[in-house]
Each structure stands twice: as structure tokens, then as C-alpha cells.
């Protein structure tokens, strides 16, 4: 069951097939079916010993839509998601958006979901350095920060102009300006593998594209180092923009990009402030074990309440 692109064999259909099924009946029938399925999934979630106690309703909708309304496949994806989270608690559970590690990451790098969705219903996120000093990079802590921003985004509407609309894919933009081989040498292989595996198998949205912009002249050296740890599926989604950022506009609407990238989505500073505000507002959620921690059945029947104090 792969999370890459939108036509994998793990799901019983495609978004186009799901739309045809909905068009075949009335909108009311489709809505009632979705409500019944989501209610069924929520009851299943709360009584499943392989899962935490709670799940945010919007996050549950994302899992369901990601698997094109297939309840059984949605269940499988959810179980894989939380299994991987609990296998790597240092990345997904033991976290705080306001602690020193997080502050250090957000002081030297931007992890920014961009406003709105593309015409083909994808959400776009931008990652770039604010400070190019390689010694400030701490790969594991930075990856933890990335997943905090993602988890915060997944319980936030994708398009404020249409709060009920959900993105159908994920587009990531990595600005490589300032990237050196010193940065690459600071990658932690186990963290890189966990990151790629989660994106491929457990993300509640489908990864559609990865754009690398402002690529350095020694790009081939960087690629040779990291490619062995990136799956072929993921690597095929990467597009390297080596000449100009103008080629990015062919794939991402210019108006969705920050002003510093020739777009109309506001300044990096404004987007940064918005993202940090969202993290603070969702801090309790991000740190609440009831939403993330899977408690083993034997511990549920003992004094597991101490864990949550």
C-alpha cells in the first residue's frame, strides 16, 4: 500500500472512479454514505487496541479520502500510520513546538504550508534555509519539526475560502539555495529512511511531486549521496530546476508562492508568523498522548493512567 502518486494498487479505485460513483447517484446519497463510513471508522478506531484513544475528525476524513472512500483500505492505512509513529517516538511523539530543539530548527529554516490549493487540488509546502551555516542543521530534530507542521496542517482546512474542500495530493518544494556538502554530511540515515518510509506508506495524503529549486552546480554529488536511501518511486517524483525558478511556475501557480519567489501569497515573514501561530494554537493537540500513543493492551488494564499524568 503505497502513498506515492494517486494510482497505486493498494486502493480499490482512483479519485476519478470515486467521483464517477458519486456522480452516478445524488450528492445527498454520496454525503450520507460518507457520513456513515466515517462514523463506522471512528467507532472502529476507538475500539482498536492498535490505535490511540482519539483522532481528529478532519484527520480521519483525510485518511478516508486518501484511500478513495474504501473503508478497509482506510483502516489499513491508519494502522500503518500509527504503527510507524510509535516505532519512532523521537520523531512523532516526544515533541514540543516551543522547546529548544524546535526553536533552533525554526530559527534557521522555514517549513511552510502555502495558502490554498492548486487547480488539480494539491497542497503545496515550501522548505528553505534562513541561515546557511551547516552546523545549525540537526537532521533528526528538523524532521521532527517537519512532522509537527504536517500534523498541524492536517487538522486545519486546506483552503480557507472553501473550508470543506480537502487536497487530493501533496507537492513539496525544497529550495536548495545555500545547500553544501557539509549539510549533506549531517544527514542521519536512520532518520532519512524513517522519513521516506512514512511518506511512502503512511502519509494521509498522496505525494504527487517534489520540486528542487535553486540547485547548486554540484547537484550530481548531492544526488549520488542521498539517492541510495530514497525509493525509486519517490525519486521519480523529483524534478530538479537547474536553470531558473521560472520552470517551477509550469507546475505550481505563481500566485501561490511567496513574494520572494515571484508569487503573490505574501512574504516569507508573514507565512512564517502564520505557521508558528498555528503550531502554538495546536500545541496541546500535538503533545496529547491520547492522539498519538498506542498503549499495549496489558498496560491498559493496569495503572496506565500514570503515563498520561
Amino acid at each position: 500500500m503505497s502513498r506515492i502518486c494517486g494510482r497505486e494498487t493498494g486502493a480499490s479505485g482512483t479519485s476519478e472512479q470515486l467521483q464517477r460513483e458519486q456522480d452516478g447517484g445524488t450528492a445527498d446519497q454520496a454525503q450520507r454514505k460518507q457520513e456513515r463510513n466515517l462514523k463506522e471508522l471512528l467507532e472502529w478506531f476507538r475500539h482498536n487496541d492498535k490505535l490511540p484513544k482519539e483522532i481528529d475528525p478532519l484527520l480521519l476524513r483525510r485518511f478516508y479520502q486518501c484511500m478513495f472512500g474504501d473503508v478497509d483500505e482506510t483502516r489499513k492505512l491508519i494502522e500503518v500510520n500509527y504503527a510507524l509513529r510509535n516505532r519512532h517516538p523521537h520523531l512523532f511523539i516526544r515533541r514540543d513546538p516551543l522547546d529548544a530543539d524546535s526553536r533552533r530548527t525554526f530559527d534557521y529554516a522555514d517549513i511552510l504550508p502555502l495558502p490554498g490549493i492548486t487547480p488539480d487540488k494539491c497542497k503545496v509546502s515550501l522548505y528553505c534555509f534562513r541561515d546557511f551555516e551547516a552546523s545549525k542543521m540537526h537532521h533528526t530534530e528538523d524532521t521532527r519539526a517537519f512532522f509537527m507542521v504536517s500534523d498541524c496542517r492536517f487538522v486545519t482546512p486546506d483552503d480557507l475560502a472553501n473550508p470543506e474542500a480537502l487536497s487530493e495530493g501533496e507537492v513539496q518544494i525544497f529550495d536548495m539555495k545555500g545547500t553544501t556538502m557539509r549539510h549533506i554530511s549531517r544527514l542521519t540515515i536512520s532518520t532519512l529512511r524513517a522519513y521516506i518510509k512514512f511518506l511512502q506508506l503512511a502519509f494521509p495524503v498522496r505525494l504527487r511531486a517534489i520540486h528542487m529549486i535553486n540547485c547548486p552546480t554540484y547537484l550530481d554529488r548531492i544526488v549520488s549521496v542521498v539517492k541510495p536511501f530514497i525509493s525509486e518511486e519517490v525519486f521519480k517524483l523529483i524534478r530538479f530546476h537547474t536553470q531558473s525558478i521560472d520552470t517551477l511556475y509550469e507546475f505550481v501557480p505563481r500566485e501561490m508562492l511567496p513574494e520572494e519567489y515571484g508569487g503573490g501569497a505574501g512574504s516569507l515573514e508573514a507565512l512564517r508568523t502564520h505557521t508558528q501561530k498555528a503550531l502554538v494554537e495546536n500545541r496541546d493537540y500535538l503533545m496529547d498522548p491520547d492522539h498519538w500513543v498506542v498503549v499495549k493492551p496489558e498496560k491498559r488494564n493496569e495503572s496506565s493512567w500514570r503515563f498520561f499524568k
Side-chain angles (χ1 to χ4, degrees):
M1 179 175 58
S2 177
R3 311 298 340 109
I4 304 304
C5 276
R7 301 179 185 275
E8 303 299 331
T9 57
S12 64
T14 66
S15 56
E16 290 86 355
Q17 289 171 337
L18 181 60
Q19 185 62 51
R20 285 197 297 270
E21 290 175 6
Q22 293 177 350
D23 291 344
T26 67
D28 286 343
Q29 287 174 334
Q31 180 64 28
R32 286 196 294 271
K33 178 182 178 182
Q34 175 174 294
E35 290 173 355
R36 286 196 305 270
N37 287 345
L38 288 173
K39 183 177 180 181
E40 175 188 331
L41 283 167
L42 182 59
E43 286 301 308
W44 164 84
F45 188 102
R46 289 176 171 170
H47 293 89
N48 191 329
D49 287 342
K50 297 179 181 179
L51 299 172
K53 290 183 177 180
E54 299 292 340
I55 184 171
D56 184 90
L58 183 52
L59 178 57
L60 183 62
R61 276 185 62 201
R62 291 190 190 279
F63 281 118
Y64 178 73
Q65 176 172 290
C66 185
M67 302 314 295
F68 310 118
D70 186 311
V71 172
D72 289 337
E73 293 298 329
T74 301
R75 289 172 175 173
K76 293 176 185 177
L77 174 58
I78 289 173
E79 288 188 344
V80 170
N81 182 286
Y82 289 98
L84 288 178
R85 287 181 183 276
N86 282 263
R87 191 176 301 167
H88 304 284
H90 62 297
L91 295 178
F92 296 100
I93 294 175
R94 295 195 295 268
R95 59 188 186 176
D96 181 350
L98 298 181
D99 67 12
D101 288 339
S102 299
R103 290 297 95 205
R104 183 165 54 236
T105 292
F106 295 128
D107 282 344
Y108 98 94
D110 281 327
I111 306 172
L112 303 173
L114 301 182
I117 55 178
T118 65
D120 56 348
K121 299 182 180 179
C122 287
K123 188 70 176 177
V124 182
S125 295
L126 170 69
Y127 314 102
C128 59
F129 289 134
R130 298 174 61 190
D131 188 322
F132 301 146
E133 173 53 51
S135 64
K136 295 188 177 182
M137 175 179 169
H138 297 272
H139 187 217
T140 297
E141 289 80 357
D142 298 345
T143 301
R144 183 191 305 131
F146 163 83
F147 284 122
M148 278 193 284
V149 173
S150 296
D151 284 335
C152 183
R153 178 176 87 70
F154 291 146
V155 296
T156 304
D158 291 323
D159 187 357
L160 295 180
N162 186 7
E164 291 302 310
L166 291 186
S167 63
E168 296 181 1
E170 182 85 359
V171 174
Q172 299 182 348
I173 302 173
F174 290 87
D175 186 347
M176 299 188 71
K177 183 179 180 181
T179 303
T180 66
M181 293 306 295
R182 288 183 61 208
H183 289 93
I184 303 304
S185 70
R186 295 180 69 83
L187 291 174
T188 304
I189 300 307
S190 60
T191 296
L192 181 61
R193 284 175 171 157
Y195 168 80
I196 294 296
K197 186 173 185 178
F198 193 83
L199 286 186
Q200 184 170 343
L201 298 179
F203 226 41
V205 295
R206 291 179 176 256
L207 186 59
R208 294 291 178 85
I210 300 173
H211 296 279
M212 314 294 282
I213 62 174
N214 293 321
C215 299
T217 55
Y218 43 87
L219 174 65
D220 57 335
R221 293 172 58 195
I222 295 177
V223 172
S224 67
V225 172
V226 301
K227 187 176 180 181
F229 307 100
I230 301 177
S231 73
E232 190 64 27
E233 272 187 301
V234 172
F235 194 77
K236 288 179 179 178
L237 299 181
I238 302 176
R239 182 175 292 271
F240 299 96
H241 300 266
T242 57
Q243 300 299 320
S244 167
I245 192 176
D246 290 346
T247 55
L248 177 66
Y249 304 148
E250 300 173 17
F251 303 92
V252 178
R254 189 165 182 161
E255 62 269 17
M256 289 186 65
L257 297 170
E259 295 171 357
E260 290 84 347
Y261 293 82
S267 66
L268 284 172
E269 180 61 35
L271 294 169
R272 187 180 305 127
T273 298
H274 177 80
T275 299
Q276 292 302 311
K277 181 174 182 289
L279 285 169
V280 171
E281 290 174 348
N282 286 280
R283 180 173 181 250
D284 289 346
Y285 166 72
L286 293 170
M287 298 176 65
D288 184 355
D290 283 356
H291 281 271
W292 312 110
V293 177
V294 176
V295 181
K296 294 182 179 180
E298 60 269 21
K299 291 186 177 181
R300 290 176 186 263
N301 298 325
E302 296 174 1
S303 55
S304 58
W305 61 271
R306 292 175 183 162
F307 185 84
F308 300 97
K309 292 184 70 175

